[in-house]
Structure formats: C-alpha cells, structure tokens
Amino acid sequence: MTRLAALLGLELPLLQAGMGAVAGPALCAQVSRAGAGGTLALYKEPPARAARLVREVAAATGGRPFGVNVVPEVTGAARCLEQLRAALPELPRNGFVTVFGLPADDAARAVRAAGHPLVVQVGTPADAGTALARGAAVLVLQGVEAGGHLLGGRPGDSLLAAVRARHPHAVLAVAGGIATGRDLADAVARGADGALAGTLFVPAAESAAHPEFKRRVVEAVAEDTVVTSLFEIGWPRRPHRVLRNSLTAATERAPAAFIATTRVDGRPYPVPRYSAAAPGAATTGRVEEMAMYCGRSCTRVTAAHPAAATVARIRREYEEARALHDGSHTIPPRVPPVPGETT
Ligand SMILES: Cc1cc2nc3c(=O)[nH]c(=O)nc-3n(C[C@H](O)[C@H](O)[C@H](O)COP(=O)(O)O)c2cc1C
C-alpha cells in the first residue's frame, strides 16, 4: 500500500490516464473494478453529456473509486468550470478529479469544496509548486517519455528526483514509461507513490480507440514514436508524442482538407488534417493520417486484453518486483522523511 493508493482508496497505486477518444465509461469502469484508478476523459464533452457519462460510470464500478479528467487548456477555464459543475454532483464521494496542466484557482476550489482529491499532472518543478499551492492532493509528474501532449521536456526520473527533493512529503505519481508491474515498482523504489499510465490502456478491449490505433500501439516500439507539434488544430502550442505516420515523415506540409469523420453522441464531425483529435472507434476515413498519441512505453505493450486482465497482470508483477526490491540494495531507497515531520 502506498500513500497514493491509501489516499484514493485503490488496491494498486496505478491510475489510468483520462484520454480523449479512448477513456470512456467502459474502460474507466473496468479499470476501477479491477482495483486501479479508472478515469473518465471529459476532454471536450459538453457539460450535460459529461454529467451523464459520470452517472454511467458510477452505476458500473460496484462502488470502487474512479476519477474524472479535464483539460482546461483545451476547453478554456470557463468551460472547464462548467464541466466540473455538471460532473461533480454526479461523482460518488470516493471519486477524484484529475487535471491535465494547472487548473485555474476557481476550478481547483470547486473540486476541493466538493470534497474530492485534486490530482494535477505537471511537467516541470515550477508547475509542481504551483499545483501544490492550488491545493493538489496528488501530483502526476509527466516525463518526456509520455504519450500525448507534453507538459515539460524532462525525463521522468529526473523530474521525480527534482520534485521529491523540493517537496519531500507530496504524494507523487509518475507518468510516462509505465507498462509493467516492474516499471511501477521501480518508480516506487525511486521515491514515487505510484504511477499513471495511458498507452498501456489504449489497446484494451474496453478502450474506445479505433481498431487501427490499437493495432499500431501493440505493434510499435519506442522508436516508432516522435515528438512533434504538427497535430495542432484544436489544441495549439503544445508538443505531443505520437506514432510516426505519413504526415510526420513528410518534408512539406500537406494541403488543408477534411480527412475523416468522427462521431460524438451520434453526431458526425469532420476531422481536418492536422487535427489534435485521436481516432475513436466510430471514426471513418483516413485514420492513418490522424494523431495516434503513444508513449515510449509501447515497446512493452504487446497485446490487447480486457482492462481487468491488464490490471491483474500489473498487480502480480508489481508484488513480485516489490518483494525483490525489499531484499535488494540496487535501487536507491525512498527519500527519507525530514526529521520532525510526518509523511
Ligand atoms: C491516446 C492518449 C490520449 C491522451 N489524452 C489525455 C487527456 O485527454 N487528458 C489527460 O490528462 N492526459 C491525456 N494523455 C496523457 C496522459 O495523461 C499521460 O501523460 C500519458 O499517457 C503518460 O504516458 P504513457 O502514455 O506512456 O503511459 C493522453 C495520452 C494518450 C496516450
């Protein structure tokens, strides 16, 4: 049991990332039922639909805790607050809220006032300090290995060491590079309280990702990913790690065009070339040209399973690796507490 697991009521100190177009109610519910922290992506969901989706998950988790995820830099602060105001009343008491990047003060206050732990993902030591000042109960430290949009440019290990040194008692999870129980145990041995994984769950049976996206993640190795700023329509000014495709390989920009159609709540939406949208199960068209966000951890993601089987495997591997770590001195011990303070 780590402080992350204790704080959020999890059996395993692992959070599944909220992922737009991937982490819908089915994935979130199955991850939570299996004892890890399932998380529902609200991304660009309109508030009324966000509330409905949270209700749907709450009815399916058998009382296990789950989270909802918002991305304020995509929605804007005002829309993010509207999403939270719609979703929070539907979130069971043991639920938590995860935010990609820093939340505005009023959003952070709304989460804390509703009594839910605020989990904030950051990529720099400076943002870690700001997130704690805004009341984050958990920091997710994203390394440059991560799939999706990048909040900093530092390897996860170095970010963890820097933030741990500045905030010895903060509850810290790492993101990026986590695909096995051994990865999770190594992170804990290096001073983390747990981890968050996204790419690991993209191919899951319950993931809402397009079948081609799932297939490519399973087949890919780390060198098949690339950091680019190409897929900027709808989410500008933020580099992202994606699977290489014909657009990332091209030396010249392809002409503007609609290349696919995606569906949200049954309604079709055209997808422009270079859109930030990832291909979901209902997307049709030139899916190969779309942004398939994927972390370097994909090397160790080699099969698609039901999410519960993945969580069970990670739990088994984690327990085995922890038993080994406890008897070995090859991995540095956790940062000792400052005398006179409790952890
Ligand atoms: C397909 C995909 C979509 C993502 N969408 C989101 C999102 O909507 N919200 C969010 O907080 N993070 C999102 N992320 C980033 C994750 O929170 C996290 O930083 C990343 O998955 C960690 O690296 P890993 O994928 O190697 O595990 C996404 C990641 C992926 C792979």
Side-chain angles (χ1 to χ4, degrees):
M1 182 65 102
T2 69
R3 291 183 306 160
L4 178 75
L7 181 74
L8 301 183
L10 310 176
E11 292 170 13
L12 183 70
L14 179 70
L15 301 176
Q16 163 247 313
M19 294 177 278
V22 174
L27 180 64
C28 171
Q30 289 312 310
V31 171
S32 282
R33 287 180 74 96
T39 304
L40 175 71
L42 295 187
Y43 195 51
K44 295 185 182 178
E45 298 292 357
R49 191 172 133 87
R52 184 151 49 82
L53 294 174
V54 177
R55 266 200 305 277
E56 198 180 314
V57 180
T61 53
R64 302 292 313 165
F66 70 93
V68 295
N69 172 256
V70 288
V71 188
E73 72 176 15
V74 166
T75 54
R79 185 65 160 181
C80 178
L81 193 58
E82 282 174 23
Q83 287 178 315
L84 287 171
R85 287 196 173 131
L88 287 171
E90 308 296 339
L91 189 61
R93 287 178 65 86
N94 60 357
F96 53 93
V97 174
T98 72
V99 186
F100 189 81
L102 292 172
D105 276 323
D106 51 3
R109 256 197 314 274
V111 174
R112 286 187 284 121
H116 300 288
L118 175 65
V119 179
V120 179
Q121 188 165 171
V122 294
T124 65
D127 281 356
T130 308
L132 289 173
R134 290 187 192 167
V138 176
L139 297 181
V140 177
L141 305 177
Q142 188 203 46
V144 72
E145 307 84 356
H149 289 75
L150 296 175
L151 293 158
R154 215 159 148 159
D157 277 0
S158 122
L159 183 61
L160 173 62
V163 175
R164 182 51 90 204
R166 284 190 203 185
H167 307 286
H169 305 297
V171 181
L172 304 179
V174 294
I178 304 294
T180 68
R182 174 73 206 234
D183 297 335
L184 178 58
D186 286 353
V188 170
R190 290 194 167 85
D193 300 287
L196 173 144
T199 300
L200 171 66
F201 292 105
V202 169
E206 301 85 352
S207 142
H210 191 279
E212 181 63 9
F213 185 9
K214 296 184 181 191
R215 186 187 68 75
R216 286 213 57 204
V217 169
V218 166
E219 288 180 359
V221 294
E223 292 67 33
D224 296 323
T225 72
V226 63
V227 175
T228 175
S229 293
L230 275 181
F231 299 98
E232 37 126 46
I233 298 176
W235 191 340
R237 291 182 299 279
R238 182 70 78 186
H240 30 272
R241 187 180 291 281
V242 293
L243 289 170
R244 293 176 195 277
N245 68 5
S246 57
L247 294 188
T248 67
T251 48
E252 278 177 27
R253 196 172 170 90
F258 289 116
I259 56 162
T261 305
T262 198
R263 288 187 172 267
V264 178
D265 217 8
R267 287 177 53 194
Y269 292 88
V271 179
R273 185 177 274 142
Y274 299 112
S275 164
T283 308
T284 53
R286 302 165 73 116
V287 170
E288 183 277 334
E289 284 190 32
M290 291 179 67
M292 297 190 186
Y293 301 108
C294 181
R296 291 182 59 87
S297 59
C298 63
T299 301
R300 296 185 301 291
V301 178
T302 54
H305 292 294
T310 298
V311 174
R313 168 183 58 86
I314 300 270
R315 187 198 293 231
R316 200 171 53 246
E317 293 168 349
Y318 174 68
E319 283 164 3
E320 285 166 14
R322 288 297 293 159
L324 280 178
H325 280 154
D326 288 347
S328 108
H329 299 286
T330 52
I331 303 252
R334 299 194 50 181
V335 174
V338 173
E341 292 189 44
T342 49
T343 50

PDB file of all heavy atoms in Angstrom, residues 17-20 22 41 43 69 71 99-100 121 142 145-148 175-178 196-200 202 213 293-297, ligand 1:
ATOM      1  N   ALA A  17      -4.818   6.918 -17.291  1.00  0.00           N
ATOM      2  CA  ALA A  17      -4.952   8.310 -17.754  1.00  0.00           C
ATOM      3  C   ALA A  17      -6.330   8.555 -18.341  1.00  0.00           C
ATOM      4  O   ALA A  17      -6.876   7.702 -19.056  1.00  0.00           O
ATOM      5  CB  ALA A  17      -3.890   8.594 -18.817  1.00  0.00           C
ATOM      6  N   GLY A  18      -6.888   9.737 -18.075  1.00  0.00           N
ATOM      7  CA  GLY A  18      -8.031  10.200 -18.850  1.00  0.00           C
ATOM      8  C   GLY A  18      -7.510  10.436 -20.263  1.00  0.00           C
ATOM      9  O   GLY A  18      -6.505  11.113 -20.409  1.00  0.00           O
ATOM     10  N   MET A  19      -8.149   9.875 -21.266  1.00  0.00           N
ATOM     11  CA  MET A  19      -7.653  10.039 -22.642  1.00  0.00           C
ATOM     12  C   MET A  19      -8.824  10.327 -23.560  1.00  0.00           C
ATOM     13  O   MET A  19      -9.710   9.480 -23.725  1.00  0.00           O
ATOM     14  CB  MET A  19      -6.923   8.758 -23.111  1.00  0.00           C
ATOM     15  CG  MET A  19      -5.639   8.456 -22.352  1.00  0.00           C
ATOM     16  SD  MET A  19      -4.856   6.909 -22.877  1.00  0.00           S
ATOM     17  CE  MET A  19      -5.796   5.688 -21.959  1.00  0.00           C
ATOM     18  N   GLY A  20      -8.802  11.539 -24.171  1.00  0.00           N
ATOM     19  CA  GLY A  20      -9.866  11.894 -25.105  1.00  0.00           C
ATOM     20  C   GLY A  20      -9.967  10.862 -26.211  1.00  0.00           C
ATOM     21  O   GLY A  20      -8.947  10.403 -26.708  1.00  0.00           O
ATOM     22  N   VAL A  22     -10.528   7.830 -26.060  1.00  0.00           N
ATOM     23  CA  VAL A  22     -10.079   6.489 -25.665  1.00  0.00           C
ATOM     24  C   VAL A  22     -10.704   6.035 -24.345  1.00  0.00           C
ATOM     25  O   VAL A  22     -11.195   4.906 -24.224  1.00  0.00           O
ATOM     26  CB  VAL A  22      -8.529   6.463 -25.532  1.00  0.00           C
ATOM     27  CG1 VAL A  22      -8.035   5.132 -24.974  1.00  0.00           C
ATOM     28  CG2 VAL A  22      -7.862   6.762 -26.877  1.00  0.00           C
ATOM     29  N   ALA A  41     -12.391  10.388 -19.325  1.00  0.00           N
ATOM     30  CA  ALA A  41     -11.938  11.607 -20.004  1.00  0.00           C
ATOM     31  C   ALA A  41     -13.144  12.478 -20.337  1.00  0.00           C
ATOM     32  O   ALA A  41     -14.048  12.038 -21.050  1.00  0.00           O
ATOM     33  CB  ALA A  41     -11.194  11.238 -21.283  1.00  0.00           C
ATOM     34  N   TYR A  43     -12.502  15.665 -21.645  1.00  0.00           N
ATOM     35  CA  TYR A  43     -11.950  16.357 -22.809  1.00  0.00           C
ATOM     36  C   TYR A  43     -12.892  17.464 -23.287  1.00  0.00           C
ATOM     37  O   TYR A  43     -13.098  18.431 -22.574  1.00  0.00           O
ATOM     38  CB  TYR A  43     -11.622  15.330 -23.898  1.00  0.00           C
ATOM     39  CG  TYR A  43     -10.736  15.842 -25.007  1.00  0.00           C
ATOM     40  CD1 TYR A  43      -9.547  16.493 -24.733  1.00  0.00           C
ATOM     41  CD2 TYR A  43     -11.092  15.671 -26.340  1.00  0.00           C
ATOM     42  CE1 TYR A  43      -8.722  16.972 -25.754  1.00  0.00           C
ATOM     43  CE2 TYR A  43     -10.276  16.136 -27.367  1.00  0.00           C
ATOM     44  CZ  TYR A  43      -9.099  16.783 -27.069  1.00  0.00           C
ATOM     45  OH  TYR A  43      -8.292  17.250 -28.095  1.00  0.00           O
ATOM     46  N   ASN A  69     -11.507  13.405 -15.632  1.00  0.00           N
ATOM     47  CA  ASN A  69     -10.337  14.145 -16.124  1.00  0.00           C
ATOM     48  C   ASN A  69     -10.762  15.338 -16.961  1.00  0.00           C
ATOM     49  O   ASN A  69     -11.605  15.206 -17.846  1.00  0.00           O
ATOM     50  CB  ASN A  69      -9.467  13.191 -16.970  1.00  0.00           C
ATOM     51  CG  ASN A  69      -8.339  13.915 -17.692  1.00  0.00           C
ATOM     52  OD1 ASN A  69      -8.400  14.143 -18.893  1.00  0.00           O
ATOM     53  ND2 ASN A  69      -7.308  14.291 -16.983  1.00  0.00           N
ATOM     54  N   VAL A  71      -9.242  18.962 -19.161  1.00  0.00           N
ATOM     55  CA  VAL A  71      -8.059  19.541 -19.816  1.00  0.00           C
ATOM     56  C   VAL A  71      -8.348  21.027 -20.044  1.00  0.00           C
ATOM     57  O   VAL A  71      -8.780  21.431 -21.130  1.00  0.00           O
ATOM     58  CB  VAL A  71      -7.769  18.833 -21.155  1.00  0.00           C
ATOM     59  CG1 VAL A  71      -6.432  19.308 -21.737  1.00  0.00           C
ATOM     60  CG2 VAL A  71      -7.745  17.316 -20.998  1.00  0.00           C
ATOM     61  N   VAL A  99      -6.512  16.641 -13.466  1.00  0.00           N
ATOM     62  CA  VAL A  99      -6.435  17.789 -14.366  1.00  0.00           C
ATOM     63  C   VAL A  99      -5.123  17.706 -15.144  1.00  0.00           C
ATOM     64  O   VAL A  99      -4.068  17.460 -14.557  1.00  0.00           O
ATOM     65  CB  VAL A  99      -6.479  19.119 -13.573  1.00  0.00           C
ATOM     66  CG1 VAL A  99      -6.539  20.307 -14.535  1.00  0.00           C
ATOM     67  CG2 VAL A  99      -7.667  19.147 -12.630  1.00  0.00           C
ATOM     68  N   PHE A 100      -5.205  17.879 -16.451  1.00  0.00           N
ATOM     69  CA  PHE A 100      -4.008  17.907 -17.293  1.00  0.00           C
ATOM     70  C   PHE A 100      -3.516  19.337 -17.359  1.00  0.00           C
ATOM     71  O   PHE A 100      -4.151  20.202 -17.953  1.00  0.00           O
ATOM     72  CB  PHE A 100      -4.337  17.380 -18.693  1.00  0.00           C
ATOM     73  CG  PHE A 100      -3.105  17.188 -19.540  1.00  0.00           C
ATOM     74  CD1 PHE A 100      -2.322  16.062 -19.401  1.00  0.00           C
ATOM     75  CD2 PHE A 100      -2.719  18.152 -20.469  1.00  0.00           C
ATOM     76  CE1 PHE A 100      -1.178  15.875 -20.170  1.00  0.00           C
ATOM     77  CE2 PHE A 100      -1.587  17.981 -21.244  1.00  0.00           C
ATOM     78  CZ  PHE A 100      -0.807  16.833 -21.091  1.00  0.00           C
ATOM     79  N   GLN A 121      -1.626  16.950 -13.140  1.00  0.00           N
ATOM     80  CA  GLN A 121      -0.472  16.478 -13.914  1.00  0.00           C
ATOM     81  C   GLN A 121       0.356  17.681 -14.373  1.00  0.00           C
ATOM     82  O   GLN A 121      -0.187  18.637 -14.954  1.00  0.00           O
ATOM     83  CB  GLN A 121      -0.934  15.653 -15.114  1.00  0.00           C
ATOM     84  CG  GLN A 121       0.231  14.991 -15.836  1.00  0.00           C
ATOM     85  CD  GLN A 121      -0.175  13.882 -16.800  1.00  0.00           C
ATOM     86  OE1 GLN A 121       0.639  13.382 -17.556  1.00  0.00           O
ATOM     87  NE2 GLN A 121      -1.422  13.476 -16.766  1.00  0.00           N
ATOM     88  N   GLN A 142       4.844  14.227 -15.281  1.00  0.00           N
ATOM     89  CA  GLN A 142       4.909  13.650 -16.620  1.00  0.00           C
ATOM     90  C   GLN A 142       6.311  13.808 -17.204  1.00  0.00           C
ATOM     91  O   GLN A 142       6.792  14.929 -17.384  1.00  0.00           O
ATOM     92  CB  GLN A 142       3.885  14.335 -17.531  1.00  0.00           C
ATOM     93  CG  GLN A 142       3.747  13.670 -18.881  1.00  0.00           C
ATOM     94  CD  GLN A 142       3.204  14.622 -19.934  1.00  0.00           C
ATOM     95  OE1 GLN A 142       3.653  15.764 -20.050  1.00  0.00           O
ATOM     96  NE2 GLN A 142       2.242  14.172 -20.701  1.00  0.00           N
ATOM     97  N   GLU A 145       8.964  10.890 -21.869  1.00  0.00           N
ATOM     98  CA  GLU A 145       8.695   9.572 -22.469  1.00  0.00           C
ATOM     99  C   GLU A 145       7.201   9.382 -22.760  1.00  0.00           C
ATOM    100  O   GLU A 145       6.807   8.469 -23.483  1.00  0.00           O
ATOM    101  CB  GLU A 145       9.108   8.438 -21.519  1.00  0.00           C
ATOM    102  CG  GLU A 145      10.530   8.507 -20.997  1.00  0.00           C
ATOM    103  CD  GLU A 145      10.701   9.412 -19.762  1.00  0.00           C
ATOM    104  OE1 GLU A 145       9.714  10.057 -19.346  1.00  0.00           O
ATOM    105  OE2 GLU A 145      11.825   9.475 -19.249  1.00  0.00           O
ATOM    106  N   ALA A 146       6.374  10.233 -22.148  1.00  0.00           N
ATOM    107  CA  ALA A 146       4.921  10.017 -22.155  1.00  0.00           C
ATOM    108  C   ALA A 146       4.311  10.126 -23.550  1.00  0.00           C
ATOM    109  O   ALA A 146       4.821  10.844 -24.417  1.00  0.00           O
ATOM    110  CB  ALA A 146       4.255  11.035 -21.223  1.00  0.00           C
ATOM    111  N   GLY A 147       3.194   9.462 -23.727  1.00  0.00           N
ATOM    112  CA  GLY A 147       2.390   9.629 -24.929  1.00  0.00           C
ATOM    113  C   GLY A 147       1.457  10.810 -24.765  1.00  0.00           C
ATOM    114  O   GLY A 147       1.101  11.179 -23.652  1.00  0.00           O
ATOM    115  N   GLY A 148       1.072  11.418 -25.888  1.00  0.00           N
ATOM    116  CA  GLY A 148       0.141  12.545 -25.826  1.00  0.00           C
ATOM    117  C   GLY A 148       0.865  13.862 -25.683  1.00  0.00           C
ATOM    118  O   GLY A 148       2.065  13.971 -25.975  1.00  0.00           O
ATOM    119  N   ALA A 175       4.260   9.705 -14.674  1.00  0.00           N
ATOM    120  CA  ALA A 175       3.565   9.354 -15.921  1.00  0.00           C
ATOM    121  C   ALA A 175       4.579   9.312 -17.044  1.00  0.00           C
ATOM    122  O   ALA A 175       5.434  10.187 -17.163  1.00  0.00           O
ATOM    123  CB  ALA A 175       2.485  10.386 -16.244  1.00  0.00           C
ATOM    124  N   GLY A 176       4.497   8.257 -17.855  1.00  0.00           N
ATOM    125  CA  GLY A 176       5.450   8.069 -18.956  1.00  0.00           C
ATOM    126  C   GLY A 176       6.330   6.884 -18.650  1.00  0.00           C
ATOM    127  O   GLY A 176       6.970   6.826 -17.601  1.00  0.00           O
ATOM    128  N   GLY A 177       6.318   5.908 -19.555  1.00  0.00           N
ATOM    129  CA  GLY A 177       7.228   4.774 -19.388  1.00  0.00           C
ATOM    130  C   GLY A 177       6.701   3.652 -18.517  1.00  0.00           C
ATOM    131  O   GLY A 177       7.458   2.738 -18.195  1.00  0.00           O
ATOM    132  N   ILE A 178       5.419   3.685 -18.170  1.00  0.00           N
ATOM    133  CA  ILE A 178       4.885   2.655 -17.269  1.00  0.00           C
ATOM    134  C   ILE A 178       4.013   1.674 -18.064  1.00  0.00           C
ATOM    135  O   ILE A 178       2.944   2.035 -18.557  1.00  0.00           O
ATOM    136  CB  ILE A 178       4.044   3.296 -16.136  1.00  0.00           C
ATOM    137  CG1 ILE A 178       4.865   4.339 -15.363  1.00  0.00           C
ATOM    138  CG2 ILE A 178       3.467   2.213 -15.221  1.00  0.00           C
ATOM    139  CD1 ILE A 178       6.034   3.800 -14.574  1.00  0.00           C
ATOM    140  N   LEU A 196       0.889   6.749 -13.275  1.00  0.00           N
ATOM    141  CA  LEU A 196      -0.267   6.883 -14.176  1.00  0.00           C
ATOM    142  C   LEU A 196       0.169   6.353 -15.531  1.00  0.00           C
ATOM    143  O   LEU A 196       1.289   6.623 -15.977  1.00  0.00           O
ATOM    144  CB  LEU A 196      -0.681   8.357 -14.252  1.00  0.00           C
ATOM    145  CG  LEU A 196      -1.759   8.748 -15.253  1.00  0.00           C
ATOM    146  CD1 LEU A 196      -2.637   9.863 -14.673  1.00  0.00           C
ATOM    147  CD2 LEU A 196      -1.157   9.210 -16.575  1.00  0.00           C
ATOM    148  N   ALA A 197      -0.692   5.580 -16.176  1.00  0.00           N
ATOM    149  CA  ALA A 197      -0.361   5.016 -17.488  1.00  0.00           C
ATOM    150  C   ALA A 197      -1.494   5.287 -18.467  1.00  0.00           C
ATOM    151  O   ALA A 197      -2.674   5.149 -18.124  1.00  0.00           O
ATOM    152  CB  ALA A 197      -0.121   3.511 -17.365  1.00  0.00           C
ATOM    153  N   GLY A 198      -1.113   5.672 -19.683  1.00  0.00           N
ATOM    154  CA  GLY A 198      -2.093   5.907 -20.732  1.00  0.00           C
ATOM    155  C   GLY A 198      -1.979   4.874 -21.838  1.00  0.00           C
ATOM    156  O   GLY A 198      -2.884   4.049 -22.046  1.00  0.00           O
ATOM    157  N   THR A 199      -0.826   4.889 -22.520  1.00  0.00           N
ATOM    158  CA  THR A 199      -0.593   3.997 -23.665  1.00  0.00           C
ATOM    159  C   THR A 199      -0.940   2.542 -23.338  1.00  0.00           C
ATOM    160  O   THR A 199      -1.516   1.821 -24.164  1.00  0.00           O
ATOM    161  CB  THR A 199       0.889   4.117 -24.090  1.00  0.00           C
ATOM    162  OG1 THR A 199       1.139   5.486 -24.453  1.00  0.00           O
ATOM    163  CG2 THR A 199       1.219   3.222 -25.252  1.00  0.00           C
ATOM    164  N   LEU A 200      -0.601   2.107 -22.134  1.00  0.00           N
ATOM    165  CA  LEU A 200      -0.878   0.731 -21.692  1.00  0.00           C
ATOM    166  C   LEU A 200      -2.337   0.340 -21.928  1.00  0.00           C
ATOM    167  O   LEU A 200      -2.632  -0.816 -22.246  1.00  0.00           O
ATOM    168  CB  LEU A 200      -0.540   0.642 -20.195  1.00  0.00           C
ATOM    169  CG  LEU A 200      -0.941  -0.624 -19.449  1.00  0.00           C
ATOM    170  CD1 LEU A 200      -0.153  -1.821 -19.964  1.00  0.00           C
ATOM    171  CD2 LEU A 200      -0.699  -0.444 -17.945  1.00  0.00           C
ATOM    172  N   VAL A 202      -4.523   1.914 -24.115  1.00  0.00           N
ATOM    173  CA  VAL A 202      -5.111   2.238 -25.433  1.00  0.00           C
ATOM    174  C   VAL A 202      -5.655   0.977 -26.127  1.00  0.00           C
ATOM    175  O   VAL A 202      -6.770   0.981 -26.650  1.00  0.00           O
ATOM    176  CB  VAL A 202      -4.109   3.006 -26.325  1.00  0.00           C
ATOM    177  CG1 VAL A 202      -4.607   3.104 -27.765  1.00  0.00           C
ATOM    178  CG2 VAL A 202      -3.851   4.401 -25.769  1.00  0.00           C
ATOM    179  N   PHE A 213      -5.686   2.140 -34.464  1.00  0.00           N
ATOM    180  CA  PHE A 213      -4.878   2.794 -33.420  1.00  0.00           C
ATOM    181  C   PHE A 213      -4.412   1.719 -32.421  1.00  0.00           C
ATOM    182  O   PHE A 213      -3.222   1.641 -32.078  1.00  0.00           O
ATOM    183  CB  PHE A 213      -5.744   3.871 -32.757  1.00  0.00           C
ATOM    184  CG  PHE A 213      -5.072   4.748 -31.735  1.00  0.00           C
ATOM    185  CD1 PHE A 213      -3.698   4.736 -31.521  1.00  0.00           C
ATOM    186  CD2 PHE A 213      -5.852   5.639 -30.974  1.00  0.00           C
ATOM    187  CE1 PHE A 213      -3.103   5.578 -30.570  1.00  0.00           C
ATOM    188  CE2 PHE A 213      -5.266   6.477 -30.031  1.00  0.00           C
ATOM    189  CZ  PHE A 213      -3.897   6.435 -29.825  1.00  0.00           C
ATOM    190  N   TYR A 293      -1.679   9.196 -30.396  1.00  0.00           N
ATOM    191  CA  TYR A 293      -0.807   9.517 -29.264  1.00  0.00           C
ATOM    192  C   TYR A 293      -0.294   8.224 -28.650  1.00  0.00           C
ATOM    193  O   TYR A 293      -1.072   7.278 -28.425  1.00  0.00           O
ATOM    194  CB  TYR A 293      -1.575  10.339 -28.222  1.00  0.00           C
ATOM    195  CG  TYR A 293      -2.104  11.624 -28.802  1.00  0.00           C
ATOM    196  CD1 TYR A 293      -3.466  11.804 -29.041  1.00  0.00           C
ATOM    197  CD2 TYR A 293      -1.241  12.651 -29.157  1.00  0.00           C
ATOM    198  CE1 TYR A 293      -3.958  12.975 -29.590  1.00  0.00           C
ATOM    199  CE2 TYR A 293      -1.717  13.835 -29.719  1.00  0.00           C
ATOM    200  CZ  TYR A 293      -3.068  13.980 -29.928  1.00  0.00           C
ATOM    201  OH  TYR A 293      -3.537  15.148 -30.496  1.00  0.00           O
ATOM    202  N   CYS A 294       0.998   8.188 -28.383  1.00  0.00           N
ATOM    203  CA  CYS A 294       1.591   6.927 -27.921  1.00  0.00           C
ATOM    204  C   CYS A 294       2.914   7.234 -27.221  1.00  0.00           C
ATOM    205  O   CYS A 294       3.724   8.007 -27.734  1.00  0.00           O
ATOM    206  CB  CYS A 294       1.819   6.035 -29.144  1.00  0.00           C
ATOM    207  SG  CYS A 294       2.507   4.426 -28.739  1.00  0.00           S
ATOM    208  N   GLY A 295       3.105   6.618 -26.068  1.00  0.00           N
ATOM    209  CA  GLY A 295       4.324   6.828 -25.298  1.00  0.00           C
ATOM    210  C   GLY A 295       5.404   5.810 -25.641  1.00  0.00           C
ATOM    211  O   GLY A 295       5.143   4.791 -26.296  1.00  0.00           O
ATOM    212  N   ARG A 296       6.618   6.076 -25.164  1.00  0.00           N
ATOM    213  CA  ARG A 296       7.735   5.158 -25.412  1.00  0.00           C
ATOM    214  C   ARG A 296       7.518   3.811 -24.726  1.00  0.00           C
ATOM    215  O   ARG A 296       8.156   2.816 -25.067  1.00  0.00           O
ATOM    216  CB  ARG A 296       9.049   5.800 -24.948  1.00  0.00           C
ATOM    217  CG  ARG A 296       9.463   6.983 -25.824  1.00  0.00           C
ATOM    218  CD  ARG A 296      10.795   7.577 -25.388  1.00  0.00           C
ATOM    219  NE  ARG A 296      11.866   6.609 -25.422  1.00  0.00           N
ATOM    220  CZ  ARG A 296      12.611   6.324 -26.498  1.00  0.00           C
ATOM    221  NH1 ARG A 296      12.374   6.943 -27.638  1.00  0.00           N
ATOM    222  NH2 ARG A 296      13.562   5.432 -26.449  1.00  0.00           N
ATOM    223  N   SER A 297       6.601   3.774 -23.775  1.00  0.00           N
ATOM    224  CA  SER A 297       6.264   2.519 -23.099  1.00  0.00           C
ATOM    225  C   SER A 297       5.660   1.491 -24.055  1.00  0.00           C
ATOM    226  O   SER A 297       5.543   0.314 -23.710  1.00  0.00           O
ATOM    227  CB  SER A 297       5.268   2.802 -21.969  1.00  0.00           C
ATOM    228  OG  SER A 297       4.104   3.404 -22.515  1.00  0.00           O
TER     229      SER A 297
HETATM  230  C1  LIG B   1      -4.064   8.432 -26.528  1.00  0.00           C
HETATM  231  C2  LIG B   1      -3.742   9.378 -25.413  1.00  0.00           C
HETATM  232  C3  LIG B   1      -4.645  10.394 -25.099  1.00  0.00           C
HETATM  233  C4  LIG B   1      -4.405  11.246 -24.016  1.00  0.00           C
HETATM  234  N1  LIG B   1      -5.352  12.170 -23.657  1.00  0.00           N
HETATM  235  C5  LIG B   1      -5.236  12.793 -22.451  1.00  0.00           C
HETATM  236  C6  LIG B   1      -6.339  13.545 -21.912  1.00  0.00           C
HETATM  237  O1  LIG B   1      -7.406  13.701 -22.525  1.00  0.00           O
HETATM  238  N2  LIG B   1      -6.180  14.063 -20.666  1.00  0.00           N
HETATM  239  C7  LIG B   1      -5.027  13.888 -19.923  1.00  0.00           C
HETATM  240  O2  LIG B   1      -4.976  14.304 -18.756  1.00  0.00           O
HETATM  241  N3  LIG B   1      -3.966  13.236 -20.442  1.00  0.00           N
HETATM  242  C8  LIG B   1      -4.053  12.661 -21.658  1.00  0.00           C
HETATM  243  N4  LIG B   1      -2.998  11.919 -22.127  1.00  0.00           N
HETATM  244  C9  LIG B   1      -1.681  11.943 -21.437  1.00  0.00           C
HETATM  245  C10 LIG B   1      -1.636  11.089 -20.168  1.00  0.00           C
HETATM  246  O3  LIG B   1      -2.261  11.778 -19.100  1.00  0.00           O
HETATM  247  C11 LIG B   1      -0.204  10.733 -19.743  1.00  0.00           C
HETATM  248  O4  LIG B   1       0.612  11.869 -19.645  1.00  0.00           O
HETATM  249  C12 LIG B   1       0.479   9.730 -20.661  1.00  0.00           C
HETATM  250  O5  LIG B   1      -0.438   8.785 -21.143  1.00  0.00           O
HETATM  251  C13 LIG B   1       1.609   9.009 -19.928  1.00  0.00           C
HETATM  252  O6  LIG B   1       2.461   8.307 -20.805  1.00  0.00           O
HETATM  253  P1  LIG B   1       2.147   6.812 -21.356  1.00  0.00           P
HETATM  254  O7  LIG B   1       1.094   7.014 -22.391  1.00  0.00           O
HETATM  255  O8  LIG B   1       3.426   6.379 -21.920  1.00  0.00           O
HETATM  256  O9  LIG B   1       1.668   5.987 -20.214  1.00  0.00           O
HETATM  257  C14 LIG B   1      -3.206  11.098 -23.251  1.00  0.00           C
HETATM  258  C15 LIG B   1      -2.286  10.106 -23.595  1.00  0.00           C
HETATM  259  C16 LIG B   1      -2.534   9.244 -24.650  1.00  0.00           C
HETATM  260  C17 LIG B   1      -1.537   8.156 -24.966  1.00  0.00           C
END
